[in-house]
Amino acid sequence: MQQTAMRNDGFMPESLVTSGVARVRMAVGLLQGMVLYFLYHAAKTNAWPASADLLFSPLLMVSLLAPVILISSLGHLDRKQAAIWLGAVVVVIGLLALHDVWRGGASQGWVWGRRGNGTHPHYPSARLIVFSIAGLYIAHALVLAGVADRRRIAGYPTYFEAAWKLLIQIKFSALFVGALWLVLWLGAALFMLVKLNFLRELLRQSWFVIPVTAFAFSCAMHITDVRPAIVRGIRALLLVLLSWILPITTLLVVGFLLSLPWTGLAPLWATRHATGVLLGAAAVLVVLVNAAFQNGEVASGVARIVRVCARVAALALLPLAAIAIYSLGLRVAEYGWTTDRIIAAACLLIASVYATGYAWAAARSSPWLGPVAQVNVANAFVILAVLLAMFSPIADPARLSVNNQIARLAAGKISVDKFDFDYLRFEGARYGMAALEQLKTRAQGSDAALIRQKAELSLKKKSRWQQEEPPLPRADLVANLAVWPKAAQLPPSFLQEDWKSNKFNWQLPKCLKHENQTCDAYLIDFSGDGKPELLAVGTQAHGGAVLLMEDKDGHWAIAGVLPNDFAGCEPLRQKLQAGSFQLLAPRIPDLDIAGQRIEINNGMTSNSVSCAGHKRERERK
């Protein structure tokens, strides 16, 4: 790889890359797009590697992030340095993604493709994607600066230049890609005016969209790399504007801190999100102080009021962090650790390093906040260490929180009726599932039976919002249903069905799920096979009305849903009870193509009924 040092731009070490490097960068971007399309198509068709859960997520993460690192490294790192750094990125990101899938934290069911067995490929969790991007940004800036200065720990001005250049490159590359697609869709709209839809159809093809997006991003990364003066100008303007927001922010934060002796801390705890707000305020102060500090060599060019406010803001960080720690401590003492609270604690650890370091810098008699540079560099390594620990088995928030919650339950710090079993099921990853399996077999203690019951109910749940009550007892179900005709009896298999665990639970009438909710149950042979189906109609308004059918295995499922206002319509129910009805053939027959039945649903059909006499009766009431 060739590198031509034509001039020292003062932004990065004498690098103006050759056209050869440009071609390599664009080739990498195009190859990345092709690999991402291959993974997309595999996920859509359930082909390899999407069918291999432990392989797909690491491949996707590496394909998303590693090429960007390579593109940015070309022209600044030699071949050996680039190979070592890229290899480290691939190994670390791949292992983190592998752990993410293994622990059960990977998300399922994104926009494309369903597998033949009804499941989805495993994708990286949103947290892993976001924090991996943040961690790689910090690590790559440290590597670029170290290579530029030819030492392991570079000078702070070099770190400053590398980090800001990389940030602006990424932001403007994303903006460039967005502008490109806006122009392409504008062109498609223009062609549509003359009835030519070829471009619109092309822009809907994944084989075109994915490679073009990756290629455009790589081109934008190259352009911003070889035009450092433009990037430097944007950075200078942005930092000046941000530095003048610092006095306003400092005034607000100091005013808030001075008001606390009169208001007390009780209003903060009442909000239940004080820790998050305080962390956000601390993060804003850190950004604005650094906007004024810049590379530490511009003190003479910074307005006096900005310098004073930067010193005051640096001191204000300490009480903000202390109050946030106290707030989190109260929540943990009362409710224990959760994943979110462990992440907040990790953020507070980082904020504490900033707060103590900046307070030390502000307390010194030096004319400018010189030690801020050392604090920033040290905290960059702290952030990387925290991220690696949290997204690996070392300090997995799900594992730590599950262990803490189980310990609280065992120690009697929380009663069984208040313990959140669903947290273990839906936020505890594989550790929570394992804990529930252990609780399901618990044999000791006065509450052992109740713990086993609640653990089993949580394990059966498909979503956090599914009701956790046990199935409606058979006696209550019989009491809820008035069977018609009078001489008929409910099928035994119907009475054995667990309606609360039905995946279409939300469509069922209330009488099948709750006690003291009544329905009429009409046994009518809708299908004409000599075996009656069951039409359940709520007697109360909005009580629900569905047609239920028994399958060959003896399980009942919803065969159709009736208009909601049919339930509670007394005139229609009376005529139905009297047998004053007839079954009609569908207005539009279904299609049979080569033995496959295709149902045609009339989307224009009204989803309501005319309840004769019922409206006037309600008006009289």
Side-chain angles (χ1 to χ4, degrees):
M1 185 184 303
Q2 296 178 343
Q3 180 173 327
T4 305
M6 298 182 63
R7 62 189 175 105
N8 188 341
D9 53 35
F11 195 86
M12 285 293 288
E14 297 187 358
S15 62
L16 187 61
V17 295
T18 65
S19 58
V21 171
R23 287 193 293 268
V24 174
R25 282 174 167 168
M26 293 176 189
V28 170
L30 186 59
L31 180 61
Q32 179 192 25
M34 296 169 64
V35 172
L36 289 176
Y37 169 71
F38 166 72
L39 295 176
Y40 168 85
H41 188 265
K44 190 175 181 180
T45 60
N46 190 30
W48 185 90
S51 57
D53 290 336
L54 294 179
L55 180 62
F56 180 73
S57 181
L59 278 178
L60 182 59
M61 284 291 291
V62 169
S63 300
L64 281 172
L65 301 176
V68 179
I69 296 296
L70 177 58
I71 289 169
S72 179
S73 299
L74 292 171
H76 301 286
L77 277 64
D78 61 32
R79 291 182 178 180
K80 182 179 178 180
Q81 292 169 335
I84 294 174
W85 174 225
L86 186 64
V89 168
V90 170
V91 170
V92 172
I93 294 299
L95 290 176
L96 293 181
L98 183 63
H99 172 258
D100 190 58
V101 175
W102 172 83
R103 69 189 286 274
S107 57
Q108 293 184 340
W110 285 15
V111 293
W112 58 73
R114 179 180 292 273
R115 291 187 182 176
N117 60 3
T119 63
H120 296 271
H122 282 76
Y123 296 94
S125 62
R127 279 178 179 158
L128 178 65
I129 295 174
V130 171
F131 285 106
S132 292
I133 292 174
L136 276 182
Y137 163 73
I138 295 171
H140 191 54
L142 294 175
V143 169
L144 290 177
V147 171
D149 276 6
R150 292 184 175 87
R151 51 180 182 169
R152 296 183 185 277
I153 303 298
Y156 186 73
T158 309
Y159 282 130
F160 173 81
E161 302 289 350
W164 272 100
K165 178 184 177 183
L166 185 60
L167 178 63
I168 293 174
Q169 275 187 283
I170 295 172
K171 295 284 187 182
F172 276 83
S173 296
L175 180 63
F176 173 80
V177 172
L180 172 65
W181 282 110
L182 183 64
V183 170
L184 288 175
W185 277 106
L186 175 61
L190 290 174
F191 279 110
M192 287 298 297
L193 294 177
V194 291
K195 308 301 181 183
L196 296 175
N197 65 348
F198 71 95
L199 185 54
R200 185 186 67 175
E201 294 302 318
L202 181 64
L203 297 181
R204 292 176 174 176
Q205 302 301 316
S206 56
W207 59 263
F208 178 79
V209 171
I210 297 175
V212 166
T213 300
F215 179 76
F217 190 85
S218 66
C219 292
M221 287 288 290
H222 175 73
I223 293 171
T224 52
D225 193 38
V226 298
R227 297 290 186 271
I230 297 175
V231 175
R232 186 166 58 247
I234 295 171
R235 183 202 67 197
L237 177 61
L238 178 61
L239 291 178
V240 169
L241 292 176
L242 288 176
S243 66
W244 280 103
I245 300 177
L246 179 60
I248 301 173
T249 309
T250 304
L251 178 63
L252 293 174
V253 171
V254 171
F256 162 76
L257 293 174
L258 293 177
S259 68
L260 292 180
W262 284 267
T263 64
L265 297 177
L268 270 70
W269 317 147
T271 64
R272 308 181 75 87
H273 56 263
T275 303
V277 175
L278 293 169
L279 271 173
V284 170
L285 284 183
V286 169
V287 171
L288 296 180
V289 167
N290 278 279
F293 183 73
Q294 297 189 30
N295 62 1
E297 300 177 348
V298 295
S300 59
V302 178
R304 180 176 179 81
I305 185 174
V306 175
R307 294 203 306 272
V308 171
C309 288
R311 192 175 294 273
V312 174
L315 291 170
L317 278 172
L318 201 56
L320 279 180
I323 297 172
I325 292 173
Y326 183 58
S327 173
L328 180 63
L330 290 178
R331 300 292 292 175
V332 171
E334 186 174 2
Y335 301 108
W337 288 103
T338 63
T339 298
D340 290 339
R341 289 176 195 138
I342 291 174
I343 294 175
C347 295
L348 281 172
L349 171 62
I350 296 168
S352 298
V353 176
Y354 276 122
T356 53
Y358 282 27
W360 168 57
R364 290 169 61 105
S365 59
S366 57
W368 192 223
L369 304 173
V372 162
Q374 303 171 39
V375 176
N376 287 345
V377 175
N379 217 13
F381 290 99
V382 171
I383 293 172
L384 292 177
V386 169
L387 291 178
L388 285 175
M390 292 180 62
F391 287 93
S392 68
I394 298 173
D396 190 321
R399 178 176 64 83
L400 298 178
S401 63
V402 167
N403 291 344
N404 177 259
Q405 293 296 334
I406 293 297
R408 282 167 52 81
L409 179 64
K413 294 182 179 180
I414 183 171
S415 60
V416 177
D417 59 326
K418 293 183 179 180
F419 186 78
D420 191 354
F421 289 86
D422 289 346
Y423 173 82
L424 303 181
R425 171 69 175 85
F426 297 103
E427 297 182 45
R430 71 180 294 121
Y431 312 104
M433 295 292 287
L436 285 174
E437 291 291 347
Q438 291 180 354
L439 293 176
K440 192 175 68 171
T441 60
R442 185 167 178 171
Q444 297 179 349
S446 58
D447 296 324
L450 182 58
I451 290 175
R452 290 197 301 270
Q453 181 188 48
K454 286 183 171 291
E456 289 178 0
L457 288 173
S458 290
L459 285 170
K460 290 179 181 179
K461 281 191 174 184
K462 301 296 187 296
S463 70
R464 218 190 200 299
W465 301 274
Q466 183 178 335
Q467 294 180 352
E468 66 177 38
E469 295 93 350
L472 190 66
R474 178 172 177 172
D476 291 336
L477 179 60
V478 172
N480 283 353
L481 299 176
V483 184
W484 300 90
K486 284 291 188 180
Q489 292 184 345
L490 293 171
S493 60
F494 181 85
L495 295 175
Q496 299 298 325
E497 195 71 36
D498 182 6
W499 294 108
K500 287 191 176 182
S501 298
N502 190 286
K503 64 179 179 179
F504 297 108
N505 178 287
W506 58 277
Q507 289 184 311
L508 293 171
K510 298 177 181 178
C511 61
L512 299 181
K513 300 178 290 183
H514 306 289
E515 59 181 344
N516 300 322
Q517 297 288 334
T518 56
C519 280
D520 288 334
Y522 304 91
L523 293 171
I524 304 171
D525 184 7
F526 281 84
S527 60
D529 60 356
K531 185 177 181 181
E533 283 71 45
L534 191 145
L535 178 64
V537 182
T539 59
Q540 303 292 328
H542 308 293
V546 298
L547 178 64
L548 302 167
M549 182 179 292
E550 185 180 14
D551 62 19
K552 61 181 181 180
D553 296 325
H555 294 291
W556 290 75
I558 296 176
V561 180
L562 282 70
N564 194 40
D565 48 3
F566 184 27
C569 181
E570 186 66 23
L572 290 181
R573 288 176 49 237
Q574 289 178 356
K575 293 178 181 179
L576 195 57
Q577 294 165 10
S580 180
F581 67 88
Q582 58 181 324
L583 302 180
L584 303 177
R587 295 181 181 179
I588 302 177
D590 295 337
L591 281 174
D592 188 317
I593 303 177
Q596 181 178 352
R597 182 166 185 162
I598 302 175
E599 297 182 1
I600 300 177
N601 296 317
N602 184 4
M604 301 303 294
T605 301
S606 174
N607 192 31
S608 62
V609 297
S610 175
C611 187
H614 186 51
K615 182 176 180 181
R616 290 192 296 273
E617 181 181 350
R618 285 186 298 177
E619 288 175 349
R620 287 196 300 270
K621 291 181 180 180

